[in-house]
């Protein structure tokens, strides 16, 4: 029975597929889609597959041996003698049997290969299961390690926050110390200005008293000169004016003594002011020493806190945290 002419979507006909399947079978191989496609040299699996299924559906009918009478009649109609037709039919049956036996052997071989592949697949699946279990165990260990690391990081964060708070408190104390130092410097500067003002006033007062003394001395010298000139001119009135001159001289001497006493008192006041100035300078030096000691203590505390910090501070942070020595101008 010849197949009807059916064309596939790419020009592959049904009779071409059947012919290719017959050729594969004649070669002693089991017709498959790939073998038929290789025999044809074209055609897609989706096109060749249905046509090959129809070939298998018609294979039993095609291989069914016809009756002897029908064969003889057909042979007579075809012009073949009966013995020749029977020999051809026997030869065809033997070829079909050999093809079936070979296909069965190939099927068994394929089954054995599939069994081996199944065993290999089961072993691979077992290995994959072991790998998955190891990966799960490793993932659990990693999860525990990450959790411990996260807790350690959180603890370090809390410690860092505490240290930052301590550093902020120490910075606040340092700012307070700097404010106190600035107040002390301002007070010392005010005292220094007051001492300078007092010293300037004392020098001005001393200069005025010296000028007065010199003026008085000049006046006395002038009076003495005039007295000498008058004594020369008025020798006759020497005795009368002697008392006046003596009295004037006594008054002048008293005035001079009074001026000297005032000058001594001014000198005593000046010495007292100088002593107060020295005392104020000593007090300023003591305050400066206390300020330096507090700066050293603050720097030591900051250095200890910086050593406790996990991260390395930047040079700007170290420069900002280092205490500066304040010099008080004397």
């Amino acid at each position: 029975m010849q197949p009807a002419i059916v064309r596939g979507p790419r020009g592959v006909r049904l009779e071409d597929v059947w012919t290719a399947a017959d050729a594969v079978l004649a070669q002693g191989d089991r017709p498959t889609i790939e073998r038929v496609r290789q025999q044809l040299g074209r055609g897609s699996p989706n096109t060749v597959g249905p046509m090959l299924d129809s070939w298998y559906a018609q294979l039993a009918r095609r291989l069914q041996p016809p009756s002897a009478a029908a064969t003889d009649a057909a042979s007579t109609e075809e012009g073949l003698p009966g013995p020749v037709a029977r020999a051809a039919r026997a030869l065809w049956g033997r070829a079909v049997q050999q093809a079936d036996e070979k296909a069965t052997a190939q099927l068994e071989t394929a089954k054995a290969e599939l069994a081996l592949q199944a065993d290999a697949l089961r072993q691979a699946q077992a290995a994959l299961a072991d790998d998955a279990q190891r990966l799960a165990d490793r993932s659990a260990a990693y999860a525990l390690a990450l959790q411990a690391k996260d807790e350690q990081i959180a603890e370090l964060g809390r410690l860092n926050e505490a240290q930052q708070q301590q550093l902020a408190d120490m910075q606040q104390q340092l700012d307070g110390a700097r404010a106190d130092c600035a107040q002390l410097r301002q007070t010392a500067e005010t005292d220094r200005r007051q001492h300078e003002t007092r010293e300037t006033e004392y020098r001005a007062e001393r200069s005025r008293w010296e000028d007065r003394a010199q003026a008085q001395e000049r006046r006395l010298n002038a009076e003495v000169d005039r007295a000498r000139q008058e004594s020369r001119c008025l020798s006759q009135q020497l005795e009368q004016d002697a008392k006046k001159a003596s009295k004037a001289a006594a008054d002048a001497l008293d005035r001079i003594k009074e001026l000297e006493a005032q000058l001594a008192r001014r000198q005593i006041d000046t010495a007292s002011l100088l002593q107060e100035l020295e005392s104020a300078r000593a007090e300023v030096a003591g305050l400066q020493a206390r300020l330096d000691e507090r700066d050293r203590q603050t720097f030591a505390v900051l250095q200890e806190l910086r050593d406790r910090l996990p991260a390395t501070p930047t040079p700007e942070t170290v420069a900002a945290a280092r205490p500066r020595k304040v010099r008080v101008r004397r």
Side-chain angles (χ1 to χ4, degrees), residues 26-82:
Q27 294 174 3
D29 295 329
R30 182 174 179 271
T32 60
I33 295 176
E34 292 299 325
R35 289 172 181 173
V36 171
R37 291 178 64 244
Q38 291 178 2
Q39 184 68 27
L40 287 173
R42 65 185 187 279
S44 64
N46 294 330
T47 303
V48 175
M51 296 182 182
L52 186 60
D53 292 339
S54 65
W55 179 85
Y56 275 110
Q58 297 294 329
L59 181 61
R61 184 180 301 173
R62 292 172 60 196
L63 294 179
Q64 184 178 2
S67 60
T71 302
D72 293 340
S75 298
T76 302
E77 291 177 357
E78 292 177 0
L80 292 177

Side-chain angles (χ1 to χ4, degrees), residues 24-30 63 90-106:
V24 172
L25 184 61
Q27 294 174 3
D29 295 329
R30 182 174 179 271
L63 294 179
L91 181 61
W92 175 255
R94 187 175 299 173
V96 170
Q97 183 179 0
Q98 291 179 356
D100 290 339
E101 291 176 355
K102 190 172 183 180
T104 303
Q106 290 179 355

